[in-house]
């Protein structure tokens, strides 16, 4: 059995990945409103769109449906004046 020596004053960080998907559309978590809706830019105005959300991290959310890769998502929905 190897001996474990701990050194005082040294910190570490680890990312524990519990689920992972590839080639998916993600948006910043701050763009997502409580009801799984986002605002997207439509010309000179904004439109509220319902999205289906998949996996979430602490910074991003997977969008399964409701958006396309070309949509411009508002990252600060509280600032939108409708």
């Amino acid at each position: 059995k190897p001996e474990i020596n701990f050194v005082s004053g040294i910190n570490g960080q680890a990312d524990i990945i519990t689920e992972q998907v590839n080639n998916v559309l993600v948006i910043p978590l701050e763009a997502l409103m409580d009801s799984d809706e986002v605002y997207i830019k439509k010309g000179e105005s904004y439109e509220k769109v319902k999205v289906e959300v998949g996996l979430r991290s602490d910074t991003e959310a997977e969008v399964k449906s409701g958006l396309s890769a070309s949509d411009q998502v508002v990252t600060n929905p509280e600032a939108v004046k409708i």
Side-chain angles (χ1 to χ4, degrees):
K1 213 176 196 187
E3 184 177 323
I4 299 175
N5 294 317
F6 293 100
V7 179
S8 177
I10 295 179
N11 295 322
Q13 180 178 342
D15 291 323
I16 300 172
I17 300 170
T18 58
E19 292 183 74
Q20 182 174 344
V21 290
N22 296 314
N23 300 317
V24 296
L25 184 62
V26 295
I27 59 171
L29 206 52
E30 62 265 16
L32 193 61
M33 294 183 277
D34 291 336
S35 54
D36 287 346
E37 294 175 318
V38 297
Y39 283 115
I40 59 171
K41 183 121 171 87
K42 287 286 189 178
E44 296 299 314
S45 62
Y46 300 93
E47 179 181 335
K48 190 185 286 188
V49 177
K50 179 82 171 163
V51 294
E52 180 186 354
V53 177
L55 296 178
R56 295 177 197 231
S57 73
D58 57 342
T59 59
E60 297 176 318
E62 172 193 6
V63 177
K64 292 183 157 203
S65 66
L67 291 178
S68 68
S70 62
D71 287 331
Q72 294 180 332
V73 176
V74 175
T75 57
N76 185 8
E78 293 84 26
V80 173
K81 309 264 191 280
I82 301 252

